């Protein structure tokens, strides 16, 4: 009984971690390559979810809706890059933090105007409903398995692009010395635009994939943004591998903490005080993990090469 | 004169250069404080009465923005979790008043100690990192405080805590009356302003400022940059705690929303809006921010749709904040 619960919660933790990885990968890519802090990355995740709600509703097909949502998220990202972000690459981090903070206010409120403040939902696509029987007595929803699978596939693709292709080589070179890459005749503006658009799309993809299992509501991106920050700080800023490891750690610690902290504390204290302490501790657990990691390794667990 | 001193001199000279020319700085500050002191008089002469409440609120946030400017503007450390200190101050006030200890002379030492402790611990961890990592770590510590407040189910949890009485001060009730509340707040702000400008002008402040420009050079001169930054961080946190005390008393309410990371973002924006590093700029920024919020939210409930783009445009097209604009209007160029 407890082992099966543990296995299910580990899977939930993995699935949450994969979702965080999709958001954190874009964030850390933009940061690693362009040295740009994009607080608005979380609202791009939120936009992905809302666009999925709209397009899945319009087309009646999950796959088609997802594809349209991704395309729309990409377009919005490119528009934002053109209007705002490209004017901030040369500015210091404070300006970037502030301008993207302004965008958060705008987009969170804009979503409320367009879609209303009430939470929305997307039905789980029919071909992904039902559960898989993992072993005796353990059923796990197909959709969550599909989410884990597609997240891993995107992660693999990202690894391949960054490590094995010419574009990836330029990205890595641009991350350590942008002006040198530019001097070699590479159009650095175009490279930045591609990285940015790609990061946006990853965040939108995460939002759209999360839409059927989470409630879609204004401000949903803010929570994820903070968690994505924790992920990349724990993993090492600018490192995709770090983001992957960090995301799995954060996803597992958070999920397992929320499910088992109460039981664990009940071994030491009375039930009511265990419940109160458990609620506080489990919310803070990942931040404690982050503080400990940073205390031991200020650069994070797997810092990107060429940065220090 | 040893060679060591020769090497620090350029860094300190550079750092001692204030954001605005030195002669004008006290004049602007004095005019500002005189105008603020005349505010209740203007209200009694016919200015809308809710302005006094609004300005009181702005001055409370100005205290927090001022304290943030010490580490952000002077120290060059972008702390994104500063609202946590307001929250600690506000929650200490709320909890103690709920428990029947409403005397400020009891509450304030608790706030100062709690803020100092929180700042010392989180600062010791955060200051091991630089730049972006620092921004994110302070953000994460702010979130920790936020979730802690949410978990305080005995004191309202997510719904917040309503206060049924206000604090007393040495047995008197200065927070019960709108005008006396205003003057207590203004006096607190003036005190914090004097304290922080004294710190900034001291050797300690110069070293803090110099470390922003070139930490290595300051370290080589024999200063412990880490310790200087940590002390500045602790002082800053304690002052922000005071604004939490006043805020809880003004709103008669305390909630986790006081500590949300958006609140920390707003504080940063107030500092930048006014002008980073010039202390009266933080006060002007807080006033301008809250007035803009008041005016825009009077127009539409969706005021953030206007306010967000305004922030973006402000960042893209202005440098030096409102203080810089005032300086240009004054016809003098700094650079």
């Amino acid at each position: 009984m407890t082992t099966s619960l543990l296995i299910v919660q580990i899977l939930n933790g993995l699935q949450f971690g994969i979702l965080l990885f999709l958001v954190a990968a874009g964030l850390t890519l933009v940061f690693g390559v362009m040295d740009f802090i994009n607080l608005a990355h979380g609202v791009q995740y939120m936009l992905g979810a809302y666009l999925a709600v709209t397009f899945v509703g319009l087309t009646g097909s999950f796959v088609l809706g997802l594809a349209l949502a991704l395309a729309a998220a990409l377009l919005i990202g490119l528009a934002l890059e053109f209007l705002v972000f490209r004017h901030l690459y040369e500015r210091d981090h404070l300006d970037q933090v502030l301008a993207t903070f302004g965008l958060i206010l705008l987009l969170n409120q804009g979503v409320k105007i367009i879609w209303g403040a009430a939470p929305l939902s997307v039905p789980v696509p029919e071909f992904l409903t039902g559960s898989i029987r993992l072993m005796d007595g353990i059923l796990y929803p197909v959709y969550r398995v599909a989410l884990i699978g597609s997240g891993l596939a995107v992660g693999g693709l990202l690894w391949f692009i960054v490590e094995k292709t010419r574009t990836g080589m330029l990205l890595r070179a641009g991350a350590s010395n942008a002006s040198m890459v530019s001097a070699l005749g590479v159009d650095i503006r175009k490279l930045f635009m591609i990285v940015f658009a790609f990061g946006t799309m990853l965040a939108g993809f995460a939002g759209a994939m999360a839409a059927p299992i989470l409630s879609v509501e204004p401000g949903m991106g803010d929570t994820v943004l903070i968690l994505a920050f924790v992920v990349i700080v724990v993993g090492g800023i600018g490192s995709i591998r770090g983001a992957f490891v960090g995301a799995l750690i954060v996803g597992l610690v958070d999920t397992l903490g929320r499910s088992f902290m109460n039981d664990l504390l009940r071994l030491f204290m009375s039930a009511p005080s265990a419940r109160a302490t458990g609620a506080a501790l489990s919310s803070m657990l990942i931040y404690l993990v982050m503080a400990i990691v940073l205390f031991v390794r200020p650069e994070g667990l797997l810092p990107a090469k060429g940065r220090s | 004169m040893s060679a060591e001193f020769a090497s620090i001199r350029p860094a300190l000279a550079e750092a001692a250069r204030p954001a605005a020319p030195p002669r004008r700085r006290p004049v602007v500050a004095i005019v500002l404080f005189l105008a603020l002191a005349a505010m209740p008089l203007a209200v009694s002469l016919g200015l809308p009465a809710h302005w006094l409440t609004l300005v009181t609120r702005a001055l409370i946030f100005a205290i927090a923005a001022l304290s943030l400017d010490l580490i952000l503007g002077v120290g060059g450390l972008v702390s994104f979790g500063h609202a946590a200190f307001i929250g600690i101050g506000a929650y200490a006030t709320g909890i103690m008043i709920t428990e029947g200890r409403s005397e400020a002379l009891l509450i304030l030492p608790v706030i100062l100690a709690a803020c100092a402790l929180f700042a010392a611990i989180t600062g010791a961890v955060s200051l091991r990192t630089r730049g972006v990592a620092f921004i994110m770590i302070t953000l994460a510590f702010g979130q920790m405080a936020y979730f802690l407040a949410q978990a305080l189910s005995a004191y309202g949890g997510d719904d917040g805590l309503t206060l049924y009485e206000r604090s007393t001060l040495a047995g008197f009730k200065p927070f019960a009356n709108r005008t006396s509340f205003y003057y207590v707040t203004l006096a607190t702000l003036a005190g914090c302003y004097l304290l922080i400008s004294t710190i900034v002008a001291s050797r300690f402040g110069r070293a803090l400022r110099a470390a922003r420009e070139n930490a290595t050079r300051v370290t080589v001169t024999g200063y412990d940059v880490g310790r200087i930054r940590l002390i500045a961080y602790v002082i800053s946190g304690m002052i922000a705690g005071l604004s939490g005390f006043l805020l809880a008393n003004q709103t008669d309410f305390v909630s986790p929303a006081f500590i949300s990371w958006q609140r920390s973002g707003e504080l940063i924006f107030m500092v930048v809006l006014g002008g980073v590093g010039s202390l009266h700029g933080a006060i002007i920024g807080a006033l301008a921010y809250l007035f803009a919020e008041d005016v825009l939210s009077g127009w539409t409930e969706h005021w953030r749709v206007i306010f967000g783009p305004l922030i973006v445009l402000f960042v893209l097209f202005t440098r030096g904040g409102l203080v810089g604009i005032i300086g240009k209007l004054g016809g003098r160029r700094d650079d």
Side-chain angles (χ1 to χ4, degrees):
Chain A
M1 178 62 200
T2 4
T3 22
S4 65
L5 185 64
L6 183 66
I7 292 173
V8 167
Q9 291 300 357
I10 287 177
L11 284 172
N12 282 341
L14 278 179
Q15 176 253 303
F16 184 44
I18 297 263
L19 206 61
L20 284 179
F21 168 69
L22 290 175
V23 180
L27 198 62
T28 206
L29 201 63
V30 167
F31 184 75
V33 177
M34 306 192 240
D35 197 28
F36 182 78
I37 307 191
N38 182 12
L39 291 191
H41 199 73
V43 293
Q44 282 156 339
Y45 163 88
M46 174 186 72
L47 281 176
Y50 271 102
L51 292 167
V53 168
T54 301
F55 286 117
V56 170
L58 278 179
T59 60
S61 146
F62 183 78
V63 176
L64 196 60
L66 184 68
L68 285 173
L70 277 188
L74 184 67
L75 283 180
I76 292 173
L78 285 175
L80 287 178
E81 201 270 349
F82 180 76
L83 289 173
V84 180
F85 297 134
R86 69 170 48 178
H87 310 291
L88 293 167
Y89 294 150
E90 309 285 312
R91 300 289 196 87
D92 63 26
H93 289 140
L94 185 58
D95 284 353
Q96 298 169 350
V97 163
L98 270 179
T100 52
F101 177 71
L103 284 179
I104 293 180
L105 294 184
L106 167 70
L107 292 173
N108 270 342
Q109 198 70 37
V111 158
K112 266 187 216 167
I113 294 176
I114 299 174
W115 282 283
L120 302 172
S121 63
V122 174
V124 174
E126 215 160 277
F127 64 98
L128 291 175
T129 49
S131 299
I132 296 178
R133 189 165 160 279
L134 293 177
M135 52 173 98
D136 275 342
I138 303 181
L139 291 173
Y140 201 69
V142 176
Y143 187 78
R144 287 178 186 257
V145 175
L147 210 162
I148 294 177
S150 60
L152 287 177
V154 171
L157 181 73
L158 199 58
W159 173 84
F160 180 79
I161 293 175
V162 171
E163 295 292 329
K164 301 289 169 196
T165 64
R166 191 181 138 75
T167 315
M169 185 193 72
L170 292 176
L171 281 183
R172 281 176 288 131
S176 22
N177 194 336
S179 50
M180 181 62 84
V181 175
S182 176
L184 291 173
V186 176
D187 186 347
I188 206 88
R189 287 199 90 90
K190 207 172 116 200
L191 187 70
F192 277 13
M193 213 177 73
I194 293 171
V195 172
F196 187 84
F198 195 72
T200 306
M201 221 172 58
L202 283 180
F205 179 67
M209 287 300 284
I213 52 173
L214 297 176
S215 72
V216 179
E217 54 194 345
M220 68 186 279
D222 298 356
T223 331
V224 166
L225 175 77
I226 307 287
L227 290 175
F229 275 152
V230 173
V231 163
I232 65 179
V233 167
V234 166
I237 293 171
S239 147
I240 299 277
R241 276 190 320 145
F244 188 73
V245 173
L248 292 189
I249 291 175
V250 170
L252 284 170
V253 167
D254 193 57
T255 309
L256 294 180
R258 278 175 208 283
S259 5
F260 299 112
M261 188 62 85
N262 264 348
D263 300 336
L264 201 66
L265 287 174
R266 214 169 293 168
L267 298 176
F268 310 104
M269 49 177 85
S270 67
S273 52
R275 201 161 40 240
T277 323
L281 258 186
S282 55
S283 305
M284 298 196 312
L285 201 56
I286 52 165
Y287 301 107
L288 287 175
V289 168
M290 186 194 74
I292 293 167
V293 166
L294 286 171
F295 199 74
V296 182
R297 295 180 62 119
E299 301 85 33
L301 292 174
L302 295 168
K305 287 173 221 141
R307 300 180 67 92
S308 57
Chain B
M1 267 302 155
S2 65
E4 281 177 331
F5 275 86
S7 69
I8 186 67
R9 205 174 288 135
L12 285 183
E14 192 179 17
R17 177 167 45 88
R23 262 169 302 150
R24 198 172 60 233
R25 185 208 274 274
V27 176
V28 175
I30 289 168
V31 170
L32 180 66
F33 275 108
L34 284 179
L36 286 171
M39 189 61 205
L41 186 67
V43 168
S44 68
L45 290 178
L47 215 60
H50 94 277
W51 277 36
L52 198 58
T53 311
L54 179 66
V55 178
T56 308
R57 192 176 159 79
L59 296 187
I60 293 172
F61 278 100
I63 295 170
L66 192 62
S67 75
L68 178 63
D69 205 18
L70 175 64
I71 46 174
L72 190 152
V74 181
L77 301 162
V78 184
S79 163
F80 212 130
H82 216 61
F85 296 108
I86 301 182
I88 292 172
Y91 265 95
T93 309
I95 291 172
M96 286 183 74
I97 289 181
T98 307
E99 299 297 337
R101 299 266 185 277
S102 54
E103 173 53 49
L105 295 180
L106 281 176
I107 298 176
L108 291 176
V110 171
I111 291 177
L112 294 178
C115 286
L117 186 70
F118 185 75
I121 296 172
T122 61
V125 177
S126 322
L127 288 167
R128 288 166 62 85
T129 59
R130 290 285 156 270
V132 188
F134 182 81
I135 298 179
M136 293 177 184
I137 291 162
T138 48
L139 185 73
F141 279 126
Q143 286 301 102
M144 269 168 86
Y146 175 79
F147 287 122
L148 189 64
Q150 266 192 346
L152 286 175
S153 49
Y155 299 102
D158 218 357
D159 299 326
L161 177 65
T162 303
L163 302 182
Y164 294 101
E165 61 175 316
R166 287 188 178 176
S167 180
T168 53
L169 181 63
F172 295 100
K173 293 187 169 174
F175 304 108
N177 171 287
R178 195 147 56 168
T179 310
S180 62
F181 197 139
Y182 179 83
Y183 278 116
V184 171
T185 308
L186 185 61
T188 311
L189 176 66
C192 294
Y193 179 81
L194 284 178
L195 175 70
I196 294 181
S197 14
T198 311
I199 291 173
V200 172
S202 69
R203 263 167 72 91
F204 173 84
R206 287 181 181 215
L208 180 67
R209 204 183 273 262
R212 179 188 68 194
E213 308 294 334
N214 192 335
T216 319
R217 222 194 260 182
V218 176
T219 308
V220 167
T221 327
Y223 286 94
D224 185 342
V225 169
R227 223 182 87 208
I228 289 172
R229 284 178 170 153
L230 187 60
I231 293 171
Y233 194 74
V234 170
I235 295 173
S236 167
M238 290 166 80
I239 294 176
L242 293 182
S243 79
F245 167 78
L246 293 168
L247 191 63
N249 270 298
Q250 201 203 16
T251 49
D252 300 314
F253 181 65
V254 176
S255 89
F258 283 31
I259 319 178
S260 72
W261 69 279
Q262 284 91 342
R263 271 296 166 80
S264 299
E266 285 172 9
L267 284 178
I268 297 180
F269 184 61
M270 288 175 198
V271 172
V272 175
L273 179 66
V276 177
S278 75
L279 297 177
H280 54 282
I283 302 172
I284 294 173
L287 281 164
Y289 185 96
L290 282 147
F291 263 95
E293 185 184 276
D294 189 62
V295 171
L296 290 177
S297 60
W299 285 350
T300 161
E301 63 164 315
H302 298 302
W303 60 277
R304 286 192 183 84
V305 173
I306 309 167
F307 200 57
L310 281 182
I311 294 181
V312 176
L313 292 175
F314 186 85
V315 172
L316 288 181
F317 294 110
T318 62
R319 287 288 174 91
L322 292 173
V323 169
I325 294 173
I326 294 171
K328 286 204 183 85
L329 291 179
R332 283 189 243 178
R333 287 184 183 273
D334 308 345
D335 41 19

